[in-house]
Structures are given as C-alpha cells and as structure tokens.
Amino acid sequence: MTNNVLIKAVSFDSQEYYQAREIREKYLRLPLRIIFTDEDLEIDRYSYHFVAYNEQNMIVGCVLGIRENHQVKIRQMLVIPEYQKKGIGSLLLNKIEEFFYNLGINHFYLHGRKESIIFYQKNGYIFAGNSFIEVGIPHQRGDKFY
C-alpha cells in the first residue's frame, strides 16, 4: 500500500492545509469535544505540515512539527482509520523527521496518546516518565534521537 502513497509538505493557509485540518478536527478533536482555538491556529501558523495522499489524491493522513530551538515537537499525527496499519503513519513520521534532520536537528519528542504508544515505539520513540492528562485523556512523552 505504501508505494501508492505520496507524502508532501504543505503550506499553512493552503487548500491542502485546510483539508488536513478538517480530518484533524474530525478524528482527533471532535471525539474529545474540543474545537480549534485561536491559539491552536496560531501554533499551526508556525508549524511545518506534512500530508499523505492516497492514489486518488485524497489526504489520508497528516502530521505537524514545531521547531523549538534544537528539537522538534511532533503534533497532531493522524492517519484516517481505513488507511491505518498500512505503513502510512511511519512514512509520515519518517518524512518529517528527515526534513528536520536535514536542517541539523536530531531530537524529536511528542506527547503520545496511550493507544498510540506502541506505534511510536515501533518508530524509535522511547517513552519514560509518568503519564499525564492532556486534552482530557492520558498521554506520555516520547523522545527520539538520531
């Protein structure tokens, strides 16, 4: 499946950004009864956005990266349910990490939802420390160094 997937960086305020934001809202936010705030949209403005397209040129996944000095916070990672477990999430993660690695950054971190931790571990993230509540659900911090 992954050979028919295109991973691409997209600009904030582009048509692709709005399509990806719609799926983020549908799958990540609405189930938790949260909406995008002005602060969330300001964070989006300064984030790097990558999307995954299927063979019909439909966005089926996305991820954001926020550069914080010499590290990057990975956020809002998502592959829509019918495309999960096909390697697309790993492709998205690898692409954004590669982009920042080429800029000289080798430390990535994220706040993984409890149900996503195994996926991130398979992609090289190490989870340590206690879980914490973020957006009303348990998360844990994961780090990856190249």
Side-chain angles (χ1 to χ4, degrees):
M1 172 68 197
T2 55
N3 57 349
N4 294 327
V5 172
L6 171 67
I7 309 293
K8 182 175 132 182
V10 299
S11 302
F12 175 77
D13 222 17
S14 66
Q15 179 181 354
E16 295 94 342
Y17 161 78
Y18 287 107
Q19 291 170 346
R21 193 172 92 188
E22 278 181 35
I23 66 171
R24 286 166 47 209
E25 186 169 44
K26 178 178 180 179
Y27 293 103
L28 296 176
R29 293 181 169 265
L30 291 180
L32 301 175
R33 294 185 176 95
I34 56 175
I35 59 169
F36 282 102
T37 65
D38 289 343
E39 182 182 339
D40 293 326
L41 299 177
E42 193 62 20
I43 291 169
D44 273 10
R45 178 180 302 283
Y46 296 103
S47 297
Y48 293 79
H49 302 263
F50 285 77
V51 298
Y53 294 92
N54 69 5
E55 55 277 356
Q56 286 84 33
N57 207 31
M58 181 178 97
I59 294 175
V60 297
C62 58
V63 64
L64 280 65
I66 302 171
R67 188 174 183 165
E68 299 174 346
N69 297 316
H70 301 291
Q71 63 184 3
V72 170
K73 182 176 185 183
I74 302 295
R75 296 186 71 242
Q76 300 281 297
M77 174 79 188
L78 164 70
V79 175
I80 63 174
E82 57 267 31
Y83 284 87
Q84 290 177 3
K85 303 203 184 301
K86 299 177 187 287
I88 297 170
S90 295
L91 287 175
L92 272 166
L93 208 48
N94 291 336
K95 191 70 157 184
I96 198 166
E97 290 168 354
E98 177 186 302
F99 172 81
F100 283 108
Y101 182 79
N102 288 334
L103 296 177
I105 296 172
N106 68 350
H107 179 198
F108 301 88
Y109 80 96
L110 51 83
H111 296 169
R113 294 180 179 199
K114 217 164 184 64
E115 67 270 13
S116 302
I117 288 176
I118 292 171
F119 164 78
Y120 289 118
Q121 287 173 326
K122 288 179 181 175
N123 283 279
Y125 283 79
I126 307 296
F127 288 82
N130 296 322
S131 65
F132 52 90
I133 302 298
E134 188 171 87
V135 295
I137 59 173
H139 284 72
Q140 192 171 5
R141 180 179 167 129
D143 289 88
K144 182 176 182 179
F145 294 89
Y146 276 86

